[in-house]
Amino acid sequence: MAGPRVVIIGAGVVGAALADEISARGWTEVTVVDQGPLPATGGSSSHAPGLVFQTNPSKTMTEMARYTVEKFCSLDVDGQPCFLQVGGLEVATSPERVTELQRRHGWLASWGIASRLLTTEECVAQHPLVNPDKVLAGLHVPTDGLAKAVLAVEAQIRRATERGVRFLARHEVLDISQTESEVTGVLTDQGEIPADIVVCCAGIWGPKIARMAGMNLPLTPLAHQLAWTGPVPALAGQTQEAVRPILRHQDADLYYRDRFDGLGIGYYGHRPMPVSADDILSVDESDQMPSVLKFTEEDFEEAWTETQSLLPATKDAKVEEGINGLFSFTTDGLPLLGESPDLKGFWVAEAVWVTHSAGVGRAMAEWLVDGYCSSFDLHECDVNRFEPHQLSPEYVLARDCRNFAEVYDILHPLQPSGDPRPIRTSPFHTRQQELGAFFLEANGWERPQWYEANASLVEGRSIVTPNDWAARYWSPIVAAEAQTTRETVALYDMTALKRLEVGGRGAGEFLERLCTGKVAKSVGSVTYTLLLDHDGGIRSDVTVARLAPDLFQVGANGNLDLDWFTRHLPVGGTVQVRDITPGTCCIGLWGPRARDVLQPLTDADFSATGLKYFRAKRAHIGSVPVTAMRLSYVGELGWELYTTADLGQKLWDTLWRAAEPLGGIAAGRGAFNSLRLEKGYRSFGTDMTYEHDPYEAGVGFAVKLDKDDFVGKAALERRKADVRRKLTCLTIDDPKAVVMGKEPVYEGDCAVGYVTSAAYGYTIGKGIAYAWLPVESAAPGTVLHIGYFDQSVEAVVAEEPLFDPTMSRLRG
């Protein structure tokens, strides 16, 4: 099949990869336009140094890098290879970096890429230029190497051209042609090209092109220094372009690569140098190429001094040339992939470096041709993941520059993102400050991790301090709050969780079509259910409360759920979906004494029969109207209590006055996470993602295959009989061995899976880790080991839930 008419804007490594991948899948009515010459178009691909390090905390990004390596290794141009697989070496010059390399080694084991931790002597053997007096350890990945970006572009252009794809050089895009709601073509300086689908792969020009389609792209081009030495005497006679591994010295924000008898030096340690996409020169205006700015020698001085320390042989060489090259940065360091929420047929594949380019090309081709991506989990890359405040120019510039500065930093999983903060505060924020809340951030919300006001609760409790890494952003107060929740009652701020309102005469039918469970039940029903993609993968888990015959409230996971609902709205306006999060708030009132707090405050019946588990009702708590849902993500009696933002503080004060005399407290997210894991409650995006189906993830109970057709049902029926992996509960006896997530799980010497969520269970007195494992390794009682830095932590597969398996506390 020829497929629809597709125009790809940009013929760099991403556009070329997409053209190759999409034409290989049968779509050949494809045109690729670029303002520059081919194959070196003048964008970031044309000057990219080509270092491909596959190591990444993101499983998706690592898998995309692995695919890029595999593909580029298979490509050549007239016998010239597109990839030089010389390996990658990261070196540590500080004890902290040694520990970080151990963590990175764990990621690679988790994601299935071979690597090895090296001694100083082994580092020198791999790269004889490094100073043995400076280097303490190293991490070696033999499949890393150098991508020849321009050659890879040419090779993929040739393959796509053979299938009928048309490449048009020297075509500057002036506008995106469109009707009121869908794309119709691309207007260039040489005429209009009709299109059913337009994909923007314009790189550093992405924001400018996207704006033509009415899309705000949170991307900033930033200059990054790259210098080349002249001949290094110690390398005299080297006739091959590269023989030593690509090298990273992350303690000093530096990387290195061979270039015959000289070296390339990349540097991230200088001040951020953002550039507006509108200010980038055209191909004809620029001296060298648009993505290359004048080298600022003063910014490189520290890098050169440090280079001579790490690689003493460079003292006999000079920096002979350099550039400030433009690359794309985003607010969370991840790509921007997907379709515009407002203009049908306009897609983006932006903020993609050479390292992940072929993987992104494949992902986008699958998404476009099949309607979903089967090779990679794209939830963290979807361009529609952002909240409105995350698209503001101030926020984008600040966070993009921060990501540049932190590109090689050692970042803790809980480390806050920094300014601008605070951005979003719940109506309870003032009261939380008065209680000494330690805040972390969630989607812009200031969310308490614990409260210093509860410090006195630590006294008399046996609380073990975890290891140094797990003890960051932790306090023994977390343990006290978790135990107190189980003993009395606690208030939890749940405002940061996204809330959607779905209404209209077709609302019930609409939700039945998208949800795996039966949700259009009696008014007052609450249903835990799933949203699936067409391949049966989990897009989200949500709660759906029916508040009126034509009105539902959905507890969602983020903006992607809103985007998914919006894209599936029926024509005719019979259903409306809106985000009510900003105007509302929520308190989770949970614990064995929750009813003692709530019932005296209201005339409504909150007895076990008056409001049953997973039911909702509207009531007044004191003078505050609330929507009460009998749910609990900590495994205790209680309710989620929703009201409008203007009445939030009044609700907090009303509950607080009633709870405090009973020993009630305010509790934070640290306690919440421990308690939810004791009950085995999954967290979408962490424990399960698009790549997992409900039966693997242990949430098959939320699927009702006997109901009418729903999105993903047919695929799910096929997948149900072939479950090969399982999200599995592990317990750890060593109280100090609290792991954090993404660590490899070993059976013997073989890595068989990886940890998703982990915490210490303060009720059960054990560490808890959930992990993806092969079914054959997931039998209760199986003894496994978790790789944690340089440790091997024994863990045992356990039956779940670990706490209150009869659900008596929840249903009481």
Side-chain angles (χ1 to χ4, degrees), residues 206-448:
K208 181 178 179 180
I209 300 297
R211 198 162 56 244
M212 297 175 185
M215 192 174 182
N216 186 0
L217 208 60
L219 180 158
T220 303
L222 280 112
H224 158 58
Q225 290 200 302
L226 176 65
W228 300 96
T229 72
V232 177
L235 306 182
Q238 180 175 318
T239 57
Q240 291 178 265
E241 180 179 353
V243 296
R244 279 163 293 279
I246 56 176
L247 178 66
R248 276 206 277 212
H249 175 24
Q250 291 170 291
D251 282 325
D253 298 305
L254 286 161
Y255 64 78
Y256 304 92
R257 56 153 293 178
D258 285 7
R259 187 171 71 167
F260 300 102
D261 62 351
L263 293 174
I265 307 169
Y267 185 45
Y268 287 104
H270 55 80
R271 61 192 166 90
M273 300 184 233
V275 176
S276 169
D278 296 316
D279 294 335
I280 301 172
L281 298 176
S282 68
V283 172
D284 294 328
E285 291 174 323
S286 58
D287 294 333
Q288 187 173 349
M289 64 179 74
S291 61
V292 170
L293 306 180
K294 180 177 171 45
F295 187 60
T296 50
E297 294 182 9
E298 64 277 10
D299 290 303
F300 197 72
E301 290 176 358
E302 188 175 333
W304 183 235
T305 300
E306 183 61 32
T307 294
Q308 292 173 314
S309 176
L310 181 73
L311 308 173
T314 58
K315 293 178 181 178
D316 299 321
K318 294 181 179 179
V319 173
E320 292 196 346
E321 56 182 307
I323 63 170
N324 287 4
L326 295 178
F327 288 88
S328 299
F329 281 79
T330 62
T331 56
D332 56 9
L334 293 165
L336 308 172
L337 313 179
E339 188 179 17
S340 163
D342 303 312
L343 185 62
K344 184 179 180 182
F346 184 80
W347 293 69
V348 300
E350 290 290 349
V352 181
W353 293 2
V354 173
T355 299
H356 310 101
S357 58
V360 167
R362 179 175 183 173
M364 292 298 297
E366 290 177 354
W367 199 351
L368 288 163
V369 174
D370 301 330
Y372 57 89
C373 176
S374 57
S375 295
F376 310 101
D377 163 36
L378 297 183
H379 87 275
E380 60 186 4
C381 302
D382 194 313
V383 70
N384 296 295
R385 64 188 181 269
F386 300 104
E387 295 291 325
H389 75 273
Q390 295 172 320
L391 299 175
S392 70
E394 178 189 40
Y395 182 94
V396 170
L397 180 61
R399 288 293 171 92
D400 289 358
C401 288
R402 184 181 179 91
N403 280 332
F404 175 90
E406 293 180 342
V407 72
Y408 280 172
D409 285 2
I410 299 171
L411 301 176
H412 191 274
L414 295 179
Q415 187 164 322
S417 300
D419 291 334
R421 278 184 72 191
I423 296 177
R424 308 173 86 181
T425 56
S426 79
F428 324 129
H429 188 68
T430 300
R431 296 293 184 256
Q432 292 165 346
Q433 288 178 310
E434 292 168 355
L435 292 171
F438 179 83
F439 291 101
L440 295 179
E441 182 190 4
N443 287 326
W445 291 99
E446 295 296 315
R447 187 165 66 182

Side-chain angles (χ1 to χ4, degrees), residues 471-541:
R472 297 189 190 182
Y473 306 103
W474 176 88
S475 165
I477 297 170
V478 169
E481 290 179 356
Q483 292 174 348
T484 302
T485 302
R486 295 257 188 256
E487 295 162 359
T488 56
V489 65
L491 279 67
Y492 286 83
D493 182 358
M494 304 299 290
T495 303
L497 297 181
K498 199 164 193 72
R499 293 171 292 285
L500 307 177
E501 186 178 87
V502 181
R505 66 179 185 275
E509 182 180 355
F510 168 74
L511 287 169
E512 288 287 346
R513 170 68 180 152
L514 293 182
C515 296
T516 61
K518 297 176 181 179
V519 298
K521 298 183 290 190
S522 61
V523 172
S525 65
V526 182
T527 307
Y528 174 81
T529 186
L530 307 172
L531 308 177
L532 303 182
D533 213 328
H534 296 277
D535 66 342
I538 301 170
R539 286 196 64 95
S540 190
D541 64 334

Side-chain angles (χ1 to χ4, degrees), residues 636-649:
E636 295 290 341
L637 169 68
W639 302 268
E640 292 180 356
L641 303 171
Y642 299 89
T643 191
T644 52
D646 60 318
L647 292 169
Q649 185 168 298

Side-chain angles (χ1 to χ4, degrees), residues 451-461 477 480:
Y451 294 87
E452 289 295 332
N454 294 326
S456 62
L457 297 175
V458 174
E459 187 176 348
R461 299 177 186 270
I477 297 170

Side-chain angles (χ1 to χ4, degrees), residues 591-668:
R593 302 209 65 180
R595 187 173 286 120
D596 296 334
V597 172
L598 193 64
Q599 189 60 77
L601 301 174
T602 179
D603 292 335
D605 185 0
F606 279 90
S607 67
T609 54
L611 185 61
K612 295 180 180 180
Y613 188 52
F614 266 81
R615 296 289 296 180
K617 69 163 56 174
R618 287 179 166 146
H620 282 84
I621 306 301
S623 58
V624 180
V626 303
T627 298
M629 299 185 194
R630 191 163 169 205
L631 311 176
S632 171
Y633 285 97
V634 301
E636 295 290 341
L637 169 68
W639 302 268
E640 292 180 356
L641 303 171
Y642 299 89
T643 191
T644 52
D646 60 318
L647 292 169
Q649 185 168 298
K650 180 64 174 176
L651 177 61
W652 178 282
D653 290 344
T654 301
L655 294 170
W656 181 257
R657 282 194 297 270
E660 196 174 20
L662 301 177
I665 61 167

